[in-house]
Each structure stands twice: as structure tokens, then as C-alpha cells.
Amino acid sequence: MIWFLNDPARIAREQAAVGALAVEYDWLTDIDWGFDASARLKLDFAITVGGERFPLRMTYPKLFPHTPPDVTTVDPDKRVSEHQYIGGNLCLQYRPDNWQSAITGADMIRSTHELLSTERPPEGPPREVQSAHRQTEGQAFRWKSLRFLVTGDLNELLPRLSEGAALSAEIRLSTHAQCTTASVGKIKLEDGTDWSPQGQPKLGTAYRGVIARIPSSELAVLAADADGTLAGAARNRIAETMGFTEYADREFLLATDGKTILLWWQLSAAKNDITTFSSLMIEAGGGRRLSDGYESLTGKKVAVVGCGSAGSKIAVSLARSGVGSFVLIDDDLFLRDNLVRHDLDWRSVGEHKVDGVLRRIRMVNPTAEVKVRRLSLTGQESAGSAASALDQVAECDVIVDATADADAFNLLASIAMAAKKPMIWFEVFAGGIGGLVARYRPGKDQTPQLMRNAFRTWCRDQGVPWTEDDVGRYGARDGEGAVLVADDGDVSVIAAHATRMATDLLVEEDAFPHSMYVLSLRSGWLFSEPFEAYPIDVQSTPEAAAAPPDPAAVTEGLNFIGELLGKASDEAAAS
């Protein structure tokens, strides 16, 4: 919609206000209305300040008067103010953050004249116009394509280096679409030990570098040289000033006085240029990002059986929450069709899903311990491999069944009960109409099998009996009656609920009054609205305690174990 066709009265007011301003003040001249190549209304005009003429252009956006016009220099490369963006746009009194539709183009012209005349007073030196602009870090780095990533522990290390020290270092360089980042991979400290930043994966290409601790006065001199290109004599002076000419063939130089950090790239004699990186603190330090109690997750271990669409999301989300150890079990390959719902991407196509999820976890939490088993617990695997995998599952603090397979569910439920470990399982209903999320807590809940039966009983009580092979009874359908397929959003919602319930078990919050919930994502089946939650009460009858063993059988078993131990002892002595 073109605003001036929808509201021709407004364009008349704009034209009249600018005309009145030109009549009132002789500093505004050369008024010329027109349209630009994008059919936007524009106004070319000139402002004269101190005898100097400034050709300018005001362009009205298509959403005017809801957004402000731009005032720019006609020549985008001509700099007329300290309050000017790259491209010629002026930062004026009226901006997107304080714009009101009652403000006119004439007001923008007045603001432009006030800015230029304040910076160029008729008498005395130029004056600085106080900025009301609060620049974000993103804005500050918008045009800085070379960025040096500074971690908190690197900031703590640098002041401890001896002044005058020159240490060998590994600098890692990563190229992205819009920027290039550098980071410290390793430093050889003065005592000969290696230092590496904590919780940071080794990304990109490794280069040889040097880190030098120098006085602040010397750093200031070097910083003054670092406004563009350093070459030849300047490079040699850096090496001589710092006393590390033996490192002249290094690609990177990190100079610091313990507070300020300067990073230069391509120092070797074969290079003609030296390029400066802008330092960027990558730890915001803006307060805690996780709830109290999550620190304990570092020492927790979670088994995720099934690394498909939902299992991959749960594993990575738990890693983000701080879980420090995982056991991942799945024998499936990641194929192109999996891209529509899985947490992995094209870089993992062709590999086993567990390997892709392992790498994904490590990119989130490099210190996480991850064991992968490329096998199916209910498939034709060697008994020894399946048994060792189940042993690893039984050692975990929480077991997550993400297989959507009844046989695997029964097997994992048996392991959870035998090892007395909590278990999470879930289902995404056909068509993404909703899902089920459930937990098992040893000694508090019924067995997982009984809880599953309770769900079917609950469905029957609602008048919608559950039938495994009848997707029409619980599958969402389109207008032509075809069953819909669950999309990534559907899977993500159910996986997120399962993750939250697993986290609750790990930190022992006990925030869920029920152990089983049915969640709606669309209307249909028994759901009247999306995002409804139906708790199913299955806590009233915990699993029955096992009957005490027959004393005679216990005695017989202990005697047999004694015989075996004696036999083993005799064989060991004979050998």
C-alpha cells in the first residue's frame, strides 16, 4: 500500500509544512519533490550553514507516517556530521525509537539544521552534539568483520603473565558468512605447561602465534599504529620493542598490558600487511541464565535411547541445561528425509545419528562426556553388545525412551525398575494433534507398563478408546480427510515437555503433581482447543514391593555361588 495514495491529505500537509519552513528561514533552499526508483516520495533540499551549502535528501518510507523518513547526504560518501551512519544517513532528534506519526518532514529538516549549525557555530570552535543514541554491541560490531573472541578465563590469565613475557600460542581462525573470528586455542605458559580456555571447542584452522605482555605505554603506541595497515618497518619495530624477534615468522600477535588486548594477523616477513581484530567479550556476564540447582546437572548422566527427531532435541536441550554425561543409543543413519524434524542438519547426512548428536552436544558443551552405541536394543545384535549397553543405561540417573517402540519401552522399563532409576517416555500422536509425556519414579509410581495401561483406560473413559492401528481416531486430518503428518514444531513441543520433566527428575524439584500428561496441539479427537493439558492420575498405587525370597532358595543360591568361587580359586592356583 502506498501511503500517499491512501492518505492524500497527509502529503498535502507535508508539502505545506516544508514550504512554510522555506519561507520562514533562508537557510533552507532548493526544494525539489519527486519519486525515487522504488516509487517512494523524496525531497531534495539544501541547508546552508556558515556559508557552506549541504545538499541533502529526505526519503519517505512506504510505511510513513508510522515510521520516520531518512535524511541523507546526496553524496553517500560525503561526511557532514559526527552523527552520520555509513551510507550518509544522519542520526537526528527523531528516530525509530522515539518516532510519533504526528512528526512531519519539516520537523526532520529543522532537526537537521540544528545538528549541522551546532557542530559548525558562526563563532568559536566546532561543538560536539551530545548523542542520545545508545549503541548496542551488535551495532558496534556491525561493520567489524574481524573479531577476536575473548573468554572470561583468558581475561583472568593475562594479568598474571610476567611483564615482558613472550609466549608461544595457538590461535584458531574461523570464517563465517559475514565475519571472521579468532580465538586462543592454547598457550605455552612460562612454566612450560599448556593452558586452554575452558568449555570452548577447537574450531577452525590453527595458526602459530605469540602472546606478549608489555607496558601500557608501549601498548598505547602500538594501538595508535593499528588504525589500518602496518607493514615493513612497523612490523620490525613491534618485534624489537617487545623483544621477541625469534617469533617473527608467527602469523598472529596478541599484545596486552593485562587489561587491553590487541590482536594482529599476518606478521610473517612474507606478508605485506598487518590486520587488526576487534576484541569481543563472548561471556555477557549479565547474570545467571539457569535456575538455582542446575549446577548439580554437571555430575548427572542421562541415557537417551533413540536419537531420532525427538530424542536428538531432548539430548541437546539437556546439554544446554548443563547435563555433563550422556549415553546415546541408536543404530539408525541420518538421511535427507530426516531434515524435516531432526535437530541435525545437512552436515550429518550419511552418518549414524548418535555420532551427529554427539558432535552437536560437544558444540554446546565441549566438556560433556558422551558414550555412543550404534546398535538397536531390540534388534539382531550380539548378546554381549546389548548387555553392555543396558549396563551403561542402568548406570544413568535418568533413562529417556525416545524410540516410540513398544518392545524397547518394555525392555527399558524393566531396566529402570531393576536398577531403581527414573524413566521418561513420550509419544507424538499421528498428525501432530498432540502427545503424551510420562515419568516413572521408583517407589512412587506404578510400573511403566501399568502406567501405559492407565493411559488406555483413561482414553476409554473419555469415550475415545485408543487403537494403535487406527490413526483416524487420533490423527489430525485436512479438509479432504487425509491424515496430517507431525511437523518439526509438533515434535519440538512434545520433546520440550519431556525434557522439562527429565530436568525436574535430575534436580529433584518435584514440580509436576502428576506423572502423566496428555497435551493437545490441535483441536480434534478429544481435544477442543490447542495447548490444553490433561493430567492423568496414576500415582495412587505405587508398584507393589517384591515378595520376600524363600529362605531355602537363598541358602541354595549362596551355596552355589560358594562352589563357583571355590572352583575359580582352584583354577587360579593351578595356573
Side-chain angles (χ1 to χ4, degrees), residues 111-443:
S111 179
T112 304
H113 177 262
E114 183 178 351
L115 171 65
L116 297 179
S117 60
T118 302
E119 291 182 325
R120 297 169 175 80
E123 296 181 359
R127 288 184 292 172
E128 179 181 354
V129 176
Q130 185 175 2
S131 175
H133 182 68
R134 296 179 296 275
Q135 189 179 46
T136 66
E137 192 170 49
Q139 290 173 317
F141 276 84
R142 188 174 295 165
W143 310 111
K144 297 177 181 179
S145 60
L146 299 178
R147 305 168 186 177
F148 173 48
L149 309 182
V150 182
T151 60
D153 50 357
L154 177 63
N155 248 354
E156 294 176 359
L157 171 71
L158 296 180
R160 301 201 302 266
L161 301 181
S162 300
E163 192 166 288
L167 306 175
S168 178
E170 174 190 89
I171 304 293
R172 305 193 72 90
L173 199 67
S174 298
T175 302
H176 309 280
Q178 301 297 329
C179 68
T180 298
T181 59
S183 60
V184 174
K186 183 171 58 177
I187 300 174
K188 180 70 73 173
L189 297 178
E190 296 168 84
D191 61 3
T193 61
D194 287 336
W195 176 92
S196 296
Q198 295 298 309
Q200 178 178 314
K202 293 187 179 300
L203 302 175
T205 304
Y207 290 87
R208 297 200 311 154
V210 57
I211 293 181
R213 170 77 188 275
I214 61 176
S216 298
S217 57
E218 292 291 340
L219 189 67
V221 174
L222 295 174
D225 284 338
D227 58 355
T229 299
L230 293 175
R235 177 174 56 241
N236 295 334
R237 186 173 66 78
I238 291 173
E240 292 173 1
T241 299
M242 297 183 183
F244 59 90
T245 52
E246 69 273 20
Y247 293 113
D249 61 338
R250 298 300 174 104
E251 291 284 338
F252 277 93
L253 164 65
L254 190 153
T256 180
D257 60 357
K259 297 179 181 178
T260 304
I261 302 173
L262 299 176
L263 182 72
W264 288 279
W265 181 31
Q266 295 187 345
L267 297 178
S268 65
K271 306 292 183 182
N272 293 322
D273 299 332
I274 296 178
T275 306
T276 308
F277 281 66
S278 299
S279 296
L280 172 63
M281 281 295 301
I282 61 173
E283 294 167 21
R288 292 181 52 77
R289 295 294 183 97
L290 293 172
S291 301
D292 292 338
Y294 275 47
E295 298 91 344
S296 64
L297 294 181
T298 303
K300 300 293 186 178
K301 180 186 291 187
V302 175
V304 179
V305 183
C307 291
S309 55
S312 64
K313 298 177 190 298
I314 291 173
V316 176
S317 183
L318 289 173
R320 295 186 192 281
S321 296
V323 173
S325 186
F326 292 87
V327 173
L328 308 178
I329 300 178
D330 198 314
D331 73 326
D332 202 9
L333 297 174
F334 186 74
L335 305 178
R336 180 173 184 165
D337 290 348
N338 300 128
L339 291 168
V340 297
R341 284 186 293 268
H342 209 278
D343 200 65
L344 301 179
D345 54 40
W346 253 107
R347 291 169 293 184
S348 295
V349 171
E351 69 177 339
H352 278 82
K353 291 177 179 177
V354 286
D355 296 320
V357 176
L358 179 152
R359 184 176 61 254
R360 190 87 170 88
I361 289 174
R362 289 273 173 79
M363 292 301 293
V364 170
N365 181 6
T367 62
E369 178 185 347
V370 185
K371 297 179 180 179
V372 300
R373 303 301 300 266
R374 304 175 195 89
L375 56 81
S376 171
L377 292 179
T378 58
Q380 293 183 347
E381 306 281 358
S382 104
S385 296
S388 65
L390 291 175
D391 286 342
Q392 291 177 329
V393 170
E395 294 172 355
C396 294
D397 298 291
V398 168
I399 301 169
V400 178
D401 174 22
T403 64
D405 179 81
D407 293 335
F409 169 81
N410 288 327
L411 179 59
L412 294 173
S414 299
I415 296 299
M417 289 186 292
K420 299 189 182 305
K421 295 298 178 63
M423 175 179 167
I424 295 287
W425 71 95
F426 57 92
E427 296 183 28
V428 181
F429 299 159
I433 193 171
L436 173 144
V437 178
R439 71 181 175 194
Y440 160 70
R441 298 168 299 171

